[in-house]
Amino acid sequence: MSPVLQSPNSGHYTGVTWGQNTPPPEPVGVPPPWRKVLYARQPFPDNFVDKSFLEELRKNIYVRRYRYWAVVFESAVVIQQLCSVCSFSVIWWYMDQDLLSPQKLCGIGLAFTLLGYLLFDAVDKGVGRKDSGRTRWDDLKSSLVFVAFTYGFSPVLKTLTESISTDTIYAMSVLMLLGHLVFFDYGANAAVVSSTLSINMAIFASVCLASRLPRSLHAFTMVTFAIQIFALWPSLQRKLRAYTPWTYICVTFLFSLFSVVGLLSISCVGALLFFLLLMSVTFLCPYCLIRLQLFKDNIHGPWDEAEIKEDLSHFLD
């Protein structure tokens, strides 16, 4: 039967039939169903959820699965930087003890720099040079300007920290080299990564250590070597890693061997500890990373922050 209503003015009953699209009124005392919306006023507290709230719970939907040997390959970047700091320290000690002449170090560094320069272009067949728009003449001019300025200011670098005690110089150099390792760009997308800060800290450490060498020529050679090993060498390694992975692995192994042998000539205990550090970073840390993935338990659900997946760039035009 259709409900009837009495018209207050007519004095008789009028039949009213609810339309097909008109919902009947809610019974008195029964609350409306809860909806997960913010734009409507509902007779529920703000923190109310119904029984379907946990039905959207998802676990570990964004967990990245790692393969052991792939992680070992990625750890080579860290090994490269550890060996760079170790090699730089060993070379500085040899020059400080007058066991290595600056002329010999400068000649060896120049030969390896030219070899690396040719290899840098040969790996990608000059594609990177064409994209950057730089010519070999531009590179030569930049190199000559750097060498001229460094050689001209080498007497200043030699006497720059004479008023600072040697212990303070060593402490600052250690902190700067540690900072170089921390802020270096290993390929991770993190806020702590800063290539500019990393290279500046390494150069600052090299200037501090070069100021404790016997002559100005030693300081010039040491700063030049720091540029080669902390700025030019990582660029070549990134190119080898992208185009020739097996060559990259072989170069990393030879560089690690050179660093350990060089440190062994100074301290057997130091060489052993450094070797254990390299082994731990290469094999133990990847194993621990993969094992710890089993204990990861991330939950996702309606409480996550909203993500705008639609391309909104057309609103900026």
Side-chain angles (χ1 to χ4, degrees), residues 72-107:
V72 170
F73 176 80
E74 296 296 332
S75 67
V77 182
V78 183
I79 298 300
Q80 287 279 349
Q81 289 310 116
L82 291 174
C83 293
S84 296
V85 172
C86 178
S87 300
F88 176 79
S89 304
V90 169
I91 294 298
W92 176 85
W93 186 87
Y94 269 85
M95 294 192 68
D96 185 57
Q97 299 296 320
D98 204 16
L99 299 176
L100 178 65
S101 64
Q103 294 84 356
K104 183 179 295 185
L105 177 61
C106 189

Side-chain angles (χ1 to χ4, degrees), residues 104-289:
K104 183 179 295 185
L105 177 61
C106 189
I108 295 175
L110 179 60
F112 275 99
T113 300
L114 292 176
L115 179 62
Y117 182 79
L118 297 177
L119 184 61
F120 188 86
D121 278 348
V123 168
D124 63 348
K125 299 179 181 180
V127 175
R129 176 176 299 280
K130 294 178 181 179
D131 295 339
S132 63
R134 290 185 59 87
T135 62
R136 289 183 173 84
W137 176 244
D138 295 332
D139 295 338
L140 180 60
K141 288 191 297 183
S142 300
S143 302
L144 292 177
V145 169
F146 168 77
V147 171
F149 270 92
T150 306
Y151 185 79
F153 283 100
S154 57
V156 179
L157 299 178
K158 176 65 180 67
T159 59
L160 187 62
T161 60
E162 284 186 347
S163 60
I164 304 176
S165 65
T166 303
D167 293 339
T168 304
I169 290 296
Y170 291 162
M172 287 194 305
S173 301
V174 170
L175 290 177
M176 291 299 105
L177 291 176
L178 289 177
H180 165 74
L181 294 175
V182 170
F183 294 104
F184 184 79
D185 185 8
Y186 298 101
N189 185 15
V192 73
V193 174
S194 177
S195 300
T196 303
L197 180 60
S198 177
I199 186 63
N200 286 337
M201 297 180 79
I203 298 304
F204 180 79
S206 67
V207 171
C208 291
L209 292 176
S211 64
R212 288 300 183 265
L213 294 177
R215 292 182 296 276
S216 300
L217 184 59
H218 289 72
F220 162 74
T221 307
M222 203 68 215
V223 174
T224 305
F225 178 70
I227 293 294
Q228 294 169 344
I229 198 169
F230 291 127
L232 302 180
W233 177 247
S235 300
L236 177 60
Q237 289 301 314
R238 283 192 291 267
K239 185 65 71 70
L240 293 177
R241 178 186 175 187
Y243 289 91
T244 56
W246 285 109
T247 305
Y248 172 73
I249 293 297
C250 294
V251 171
T252 302
F253 174 77
L254 294 176
F255 192 33
S256 303
L257 183 62
F258 170 78
S259 302
V260 173
V261 172
L263 190 58
L264 182 63
S265 62
I266 299 175
S267 172
C268 296
V269 176
L272 177 61
L273 294 177
F274 185 70
F275 175 78
L276 294 177
L277 175 62
L278 296 182
M279 292 296 101
S280 300
V281 172
T282 305
F283 300 106
L284 181 60
C285 291
Y287 174 79
C288 294
L289 175 64

Side-chain angles (χ1 to χ4, degrees), residues 2-73:
S2 300
V4 294
L5 295 178
Q6 181 180 9
S7 176
N9 298 326
S10 61
H12 57 84
Y13 290 96
T14 303
V16 179
T17 302
W18 296 106
Q20 185 177 1
N21 297 327
T22 304
E26 295 290 341
V28 179
V30 179
W34 175 78
R35 295 184 300 163
K36 191 173 62 174
V37 295
L38 297 177
Y39 55 82
R41 188 180 298 275
Q42 304 181 73
F44 301 100
D46 293 338
N47 59 349
F48 176 81
V49 292
D50 63 354
K51 297 180 180 180
S52 64
F53 183 73
L54 292 179
E55 292 180 357
E56 301 181 27
L57 173 65
R58 299 293 183 270
K59 292 185 177 181
N60 299 334
I61 60 176
Y62 299 119
V63 173
R64 181 179 178 183
R65 304 299 178 183
Y66 295 97
R67 293 181 299 171
Y68 178 75
W69 290 110
V71 180
V72 170
F73 176 80

